[in-house]
Amino acid sequence: MRSCPLNLRIFQLFGVLLMTATVSSLLPAQSARSEKIVIAHRGASGYLPEHTLPAKAMAYAMGADYIEQDVVMTKDDQLIVLHDITLDRTTDVADRYPQRIRDDGRFYAIDFTLEEIRTLNASEGFNLVGGEKQQGYEQRFPMATSSFSVPTFAEEIELIQGLNRSTGKDVGIYPEIKSPEFHREAGKDISTAVVNLLKHYGYTNKSDKIYLQTFSYEELEIISTQVFPAAGVELNLVQLIGSEDSYRWMLQENGMTKLANHADGIGPEKGLVVSRRSTKGNIEISELVSRAHEAGLKVHPYTYRLDAGQVPQYANDFDDLLRLHYFEADIDGAFTDFPDRVVEFLKAAK
């Protein structure tokens, strides 16, 4: 197991340098653009390994309005922040626990205790190509360098709330309940666990700086009608929308009105806002945003990236992509791996 004091020293040094350099200059900018928000997708994941505490501290210092957490459960019912329900894309689990592989070739977080997960090294995401690890985004933080780990959900909340106290800002959290059906099949009620932890840390009302999101409409309905009432809380709920095929009824003319019975916002894949068929001379903006707004829903699409091949060809550059979505399509916020660039764009647009 790696030395905790070393990790702590690295994190403290990183935090001191970064916060000293940027926080004071970003405070006015955040309040000036409050009507259009920036959501740090898995933290400042364009610069540091996703869902690590340093990535979240960097996103905070860059001026993000909300910071995202993907939440999954461990074998011993602990909540950790991890994008996948498996550990093999962003950790060295295959090297440390090769015997724990399932028949499908994956290593599931739900098969490991928190103590075991704390022994793992986290890194930039990778794929196995010919048995070798190949980094997903080549120009991002290099693999096998520095020291990162998988945090718990509680640790991340405490980090963000601690920074809110020390800086005087009010940055929100944006947790996603990952694969709730998978967890329920394993006998784990992840939604109730997440909501109870949020309540413990003071998130109880829609006025609190939190959006709770999921791709599962069935789970969204359960949270709205059962989990929230049982916990005595009422938080903002967001329905994530991944594709036309899987969420067809939501994209019909009255879909947003029906969804508004349980949701406060939607998080569509950005191609559902501005069509992938668009060209520079013919930008096709769907009716999704206008229908959502008519139903009283916020719209926070995902994911806006700077990496090679990630800016659609219909946009001249990243800033043009943001202009088309924020101001032509009129989205309310965006999930981005590069929160500094979106903060700068909105500041300049003011």
Side-chain angles (χ1 to χ4, degrees), residues 16 26 31 57 66 82 86-87 106 121 125 151 156 171 173 179 182 219 228 272-273 283 292-293 305 311 324:
V16 169
L26 287 173
S31 60
Y66 288 82
L82 187 73
T86 54
L87 293 155
R106 308 303 298 273
N121 292 294
E156 182 157 332
V171 172
I173 62 174
S179 303
F182 170 85
E219 195 69 20
F228 280 176
L272 297 175
V273 174
I283 303 298
H293 285 168
R305 296 184 171 104
V311 176
L324 288 168

Side-chain angles (χ1 to χ4, degrees), residues 12-285:
Q12 288 175 330
L13 177 60
F14 171 86
V16 169
L17 292 174
L18 188 59
M19 295 298 292
T20 300
T22 62
V23 165
S24 61
S25 65
L26 287 173
L27 287 172
Q30 189 178 37
S31 60
R33 52 175 176 75
S34 58
E35 62 275 10
K36 298 283 189 182
I37 68 170
V38 179
I39 306 151
H41 181 246
R42 311 180 200 175
S45 54
Y47 303 101
L48 284 163
E50 65 182 55
H51 284 321
T52 59
L53 291 183
K56 304 308 173 72
M58 189 172 194
Y60 190 105
M62 285 176 165
D65 299 288
Y66 288 82
I67 299 174
E68 184 194 34
Q69 304 79 32
D70 292 307
V71 185
V72 303
M73 242 179 176
T74 65
K75 184 177 182 179
D76 51 343
D77 298 332
Q78 300 301 302
L79 298 172
I80 59 173
V81 181
L82 187 73
H83 178 263
D84 310 331
I85 57 175
T86 54
L87 293 155
D88 35 292
R89 185 181 62 86
T90 54
T91 77
D92 60 351
V93 64
D95 300 324
R96 292 177 177 265
Y97 297 98
Q99 73 281 6
R100 306 285 283 280
I101 193 169
R102 284 198 186 185
D103 291 341
D104 62 0
R106 308 303 298 273
F107 296 83
Y108 287 81
I110 205 169
D111 294 336
F112 293 79
T113 65
L114 177 59
E115 183 179 0
E116 290 170 330
I117 290 173
R118 288 198 186 281
T119 70
L120 302 177
N121 292 294
S123 71
E124 183 65 38
F126 59 86
N127 301 303
L128 287 178
V129 180
E132 298 293 327
K133 294 179 182 179
Q134 181 175 305
Q135 188 163 319
Y137 292 102
E138 294 182 2
Q139 299 305 313
R140 294 193 180 186
F141 198 93
M143 293 171 54
T145 59
S146 195
S147 177
F148 304 97
S149 59
V150 177
T152 66
F153 188 30
E155 288 168 344
E156 182 157 332
I157 292 175
E158 290 176 0
L159 171 68
I160 294 169
Q161 290 189 344
L163 288 170
N164 280 342
R165 179 174 179 178
S166 62
T167 66
K169 294 169 69 176
D170 188 18
V171 172
I173 62 174
Y174 212 124
E176 177 187 344
I177 296 172
K178 299 295 292 189
S179 303
E181 291 85 0
F182 170 85
H183 284 91
R184 286 189 182 279
E185 287 176 5
K188 296 183 183 296
D189 182 358
I190 186 173
S191 294
T192 294
V194 167
V195 170
N196 285 341
L197 187 68
L198 291 172
K199 181 179 180 179
H200 174 76
Y201 281 101
Y203 299 100
T204 59
N205 300 297
K206 287 183 183 289
S207 59
D208 295 328
K209 291 290 289 292
I210 178 174
Y211 287 95
L212 181 62
Q213 56 178 336
T214 179
F215 275 101
S216 170
Y217 175 74
E218 290 74 16
E219 195 69 20
L220 188 87
E221 193 172 20
I222 290 172
I223 295 169
S224 173
T225 62
Q226 300 177 33
V227 178
F228 280 176
V233 305
E234 190 175 9
L235 307 176
N236 293 301
L237 278 174
V238 170
Q239 172 68 54
L240 295 168
I241 304 175
S243 67
E244 294 182 41
D245 292 339
S246 300
Y247 300 86
R248 191 168 297 279
W249 70 265
M250 295 181 192
L251 304 178
Q252 294 174 353
E253 187 172 354
N254 61 347
M256 292 296 104
T257 301
K258 292 180 179 178
L259 188 59
N261 290 323
H262 299 292
D264 301 280
I266 59 171
E269 197 281 323
K270 65 180 184 294
L272 297 175
V273 174
V274 177
S275 172
R276 301 175 188 86
R277 299 186 303 269
S278 296
T279 64
K280 287 184 171 65
N282 183 30
I283 303 298
E284 298 181 25
I285 298 175

